Amino acid sequence: MIATATLTPDRSATLSEMYRSIFKQPYPKFHKMDLLCKVSLLCVRKLMNETGTDTLGQTDILAFTKDGCLVSDMAHAGMITEGERLASPAVFVYTLPNILTGELAIYLHSLGATELYCVDSLQSDMIDKTVKMRMKTTKCDTMLVITANALDESDFFVKSQLYRR
Amino acid sequence: MTVYKISDCCYTPVGDNTPDNVKACIDGEFCLKEYQSPFGLTENACLSLFDRNKVSSDFNTLFPETDHQSYTFFEKIACIAGRKAIGDLNLIPDDTLLVLSTTKGNVDALPDRHIPLATSAKKIAVALGLNADNVLTVSNACVSGVCALTTAVDMLAWGYYRHALIIGADVLSAFIVSGFQSFKALSPERCRPYDTSRCGLNLGEAAASMVLSVDTPEEESVWQVSGCANHNDANHISGPSRTAEGSLKVIESLISQAGQPDVINTHGTATLYNDEMESIALHRAGLDSVPTTALKGIFGHTLGAAGVLESILTIAAADNDTILPTAGFGSCGVTYPVNISSEVRKGKVKTVFKILSGFGGSNAGIAFKKDGKL
């Protein structure tokens, strides 16, 4: 592993404020994302800032989460409870947890592999085992590993780790 | 290390086991039908649904010792497919990995109850007598099934486990159907993959399971995994790439690992954009003339089950020198014609490619090769 960054709630800054301090260049897509994608992208950009890099090249992206996109799931479930004609494609698409890895691939312009795994805990031994296995099989020079859980703007945890083969 | 396919099971509304589902594909039998206001929704939808009572009864028969009330409908179909694939195999729990492939698992329990996907995976492992710590859950939208297979293959090939049970499963609910309706992605009638008049997909329920192992099977002729690939389009979270870049890279990677395929089973959802994109990928890879099949006209899009289900059926048909028909296909409606047919075809099939593409820009593929023992 060559770099790591974490992101947790900051009582003195909203997510929008975090975005403005972490992103030097505007990235308007950020504002359309759900919470899981937003906090994960912020954490990855933070990692890139800390390592002084603007590109990771072609990279495999692995994500591990426990509750996935529960915030979007609840939003879509709430909308259809009130009448399914209120269902919104813009919300529904984020009820797929792997949109997280898709958003990161788009941001990083990477055509590498993207995988999202659900685990019962962000401390699960399976994470370490899967990362080690993927490091042996990756065809890319780098691998980005995200462990993320996001339940609320005041209740989330993200760790991004950059590995080089 | 070589990874072999040891056994499998397809458990769908169409049939309880792999041979019955192969027969349904050949005979054109299906359970897709138009439901009026399914799950209390306003719009009608053409779906392939399990008989709930039959699933409960099958579960009680196969798991007489298990508290059936503590297992959800989703968990039950996964357990049933898993148990049927394991059969008499002696899978030592500490040597066996369970990979669950699902897009949404028990999402129908929301908003009252949130059941994390990994919680279901552990319950399924317990019911099957496997080690609940040796469990991974893949949730990569439509490509989940192939990613679950390739994850298991790599875990076995690198010596982390000797055996793996891969189960792909999804059930339908107001949550999922309303979301696809909001996308205007559903066909009001039975879907028509690659056809000129195709206008969208059907959703279907299914569970499919495969046992992979590094132990050499006893049979004379066995299938082994000969290629795995995964590439993102980095293009759009809900639309396929216009140039089919990710899918092309997957196919090219499979060719480089496994050689030319004799049959390709595609995603073939029968949406305008998916089938067009896949035809571009096949054309760019120079595989326009290779027999191509799509099975969504029998089962609908079975989400997390699709990659496992469609791999198994394509391979099982190949065992009888059969190339499955593409139900619903009439005349070619993609810019770059692919070698597809609504008829059963015969031919020697030794290498099969299964490819998928989906939301989140994901593309994945797996190659299987039939060979004498090494």
Side-chain angles (χ1 to χ4, degrees):
Chain A
M1 187 173 49
I2 55 173
T4 184
T6 56
L7 192 78
T8 51
D10 178 349
R11 261 184 250 168
S12 64
T14 64
L15 276 190
S16 296
E17 287 165 345
M18 285 187 186
Y19 163 76
R20 282 194 292 275
S21 73
I22 291 173
F23 274 75
K24 309 298 177 206
Q25 302 290 325
Y27 190 66
K29 281 196 180 90
F30 174 84
H31 304 287
K32 294 182 180 174
M33 294 178 190
D34 79 342
L35 182 68
L36 181 70
C37 293
K38 276 183 177 170
V39 295
S40 300
L41 182 62
L42 285 173
C43 189
V44 168
R45 184 64 247 184
K46 188 178 170 194
L47 179 141
M48 293 167 78
N49 291 350
E50 287 172 3
T51 51
T53 174
D54 259 331
T55 175
L56 300 182
Q58 297 302 296
T59 182
D60 281 354
I61 303 169
L62 262 63
F64 297 87
T65 177
K66 174 172 172 282
D67 295 305
C69 46
L70 182 60
V71 172
S72 290
D73 288 348
M74 290 299 283
H76 178 68
M79 286 164 129
I80 62 170
T81 307
E82 292 177 22
E84 82 275 12
R85 289 184 190 282
L86 295 173
S88 152
V91 173
F92 182 66
V93 71
Y94 285 100
T95 67
L96 294 164
N98 71 310
I99 298 299
L100 155 63
T101 50
E103 291 282 19
L104 293 175
I106 291 170
Y107 179 69
L108 297 168
H109 304 290
S110 173
L111 299 176
T114 45
E115 302 258 21
L116 184 126
Y117 298 101
C118 294
V119 285
D120 63 332
S121 143
L122 295 191
Q123 281 75 47
S124 167
D125 292 342
M126 289 308 290
I127 297 178
D128 188 43
K129 200 177 263 188
T130 308
V131 169
K132 280 185 179 150
M133 180 274 286
R134 280 279 164 248
M135 279 303 289
K136 292 171 179 168
T137 60
T138 181
K139 297 174 185 78
C140 295
D141 291 333
T142 60
M143 192 166 80
L144 184 61
V145 178
I146 314 296
T147 39
N149 223 45
L151 298 174
D152 192 276
E153 282 207 20
S154 59
D155 183 5
F156 65 83
F157 172 83
V158 194
K159 181 164 68 174
S160 57
Q161 294 170 289
L162 185 64
Y163 292 78
R164 199 175 296 282
R165 193 157 56 144
Chain B
M1 212 173 334
T2 305
V3 176
Y4 299 95
K5 182 180 84 71
I6 302 297
S7 75
D8 57 64
C9 172
C10 299
Y11 182 71
T12 77
V14 177
D16 286 356
N17 53 51
T18 301
D20 285 357
N21 280 285
V22 173
K23 185 172 180 301
C25 292
I26 291 170
D27 296 344
E29 293 165 4
F30 55 90
C31 291
L32 286 164
K33 65 175 183 182
E34 189 178 338
Y35 285 83
Q36 312 287 323
S37 305
F39 308 110
L41 297 170
T42 314
E43 279 180 57
N44 299 344
C46 182
L47 309 169
S48 177
L49 301 179
F50 277 111
D51 175 341
R52 269 54 184 164
N53 293 330
K54 183 183 178 309
V55 169
S56 288
S57 160
D58 288 350
F59 185 82
N60 293 345
T61 305
L62 286 168
F63 298 90
E65 308 294 321
T66 305
D67 172 17
H68 62 96
Q69 287 187 330
S70 67
Y71 280 75
T72 64
F73 171 54
F74 161 72
E75 290 156 2
K76 284 179 180 177
I77 63 166
C79 287
I80 291 167
R83 172 57 55 84
K84 287 181 171 226
I86 293 173
D88 297 332
L89 294 173
N90 179 24
L91 299 181
I92 297 161
D94 287 346
D95 282 346
T96 305
L97 171 70
L98 171 67
V99 186
L100 176 67
S101 159
T102 184
T103 60
K104 294 308 299 172
N106 287 304
V107 78
D108 54 333
L110 286 180
D112 303 332
R113 205 151 64 106
H114 165 52
I115 307 171
L117 298 183
T119 303
S120 286
K122 282 184 176 284
K123 281 175 69 183
I124 293 162
V126 170
L128 294 171
L130 299 175
N131 183 338
D133 289 331
N134 296 343
V135 165
L136 258 183
T137 304
V138 173
S139 190
N140 276 349
C142 310
V143 309
S144 300
V146 165
C147 290
L149 290 170
T150 58
T151 294
V153 169
D154 288 336
M155 282 283 197
L156 297 186
W158 286 92
Y160 288 95
Y161 300 94
R162 296 191 70 75
H163 320 288
L165 171 67
I166 302 92
I167 304 176
D170 263 303
V171 297
L172 298 178
S173 59
F175 186 104
I176 292 173
V177 177
S178 67
F180 277 89
Q181 285 173 336
S182 77
F183 260 109
K184 310 284 181 214
L186 298 184
S187 166
E189 50 198 40
R190 194 173 161 215
C191 70
R192 304 177 71 85
Y194 296 94
D195 190 77
T196 42
S197 62
R198 73 185 187 279
C199 60
L201 59 82
N202 304 142
L203 291 167
E205 297 178 330
S209 56
M210 191 186 284
V211 176
L212 297 173
S213 177
V214 292
D215 290 354
T216 312
E218 289 171 6
E219 292 83 5
E220 281 303 310
S221 179
V222 290
W223 289 90
Q224 62 186 57
V225 179
S226 52
C228 298
N230 178 325
H231 286 280
N232 200 283
D233 283 326
N235 174 63
H236 195 277
I237 54 169
S238 61
S241 157
R242 283 197 178 82
T243 56
E245 208 60 37
S247 182
L248 173 67
K249 286 179 92 70
V250 162
I251 296 169
E252 286 177 341
S253 175
L254 292 181
I255 292 172
S256 74
Q257 297 168 65
Q260 292 286 312
D262 301 310
V263 171
I264 305 171
N265 179 267
T266 63
H267 196 24
T269 59
T271 63
L272 285 176
Y273 297 115
N274 175 80
D275 295 5
E276 178 70 10
M277 183 280 289
E278 287 190 306
S279 82
I280 294 168
L282 292 171
H283 174 74
R284 289 185 66 193
L287 299 185
D288 322 49
S289 62
V290 175
T292 298
T293 63
L295 301 177
K296 303 291 195 288
I298 298 289
F299 303 100
H301 186 346
T302 56
L303 307 172
V308 187
L309 175 73
E310 294 164 10
S311 293
I312 293 169
L313 295 174
T314 306
I315 291 169
D319 274 331
N320 294 316
D321 300 330
T322 300
I323 296 165
L324 293 174
T326 296
F329 175 79
S331 56
C332 183
V334 288
T335 307
Y336 297 97
V338 288
N339 182 353
I340 204 157
S341 171
S342 59
E343 303 294 321
V344 179
R345 290 179 279 183
K346 288 288 180 181
K348 285 277 174 216
V349 176
K350 289 196 161 182
T351 296
V352 165
F353 284 6
K354 169 65 204 158
I355 58 170
L356 289 175
S357 298
F359 283 162
S362 312
N363 302 272
I366 185 165
F368 295 89
K369 180 172 82 169
K370 190 177 192 177
D371 232 344
K373 273 194 279 187
L374 296 176

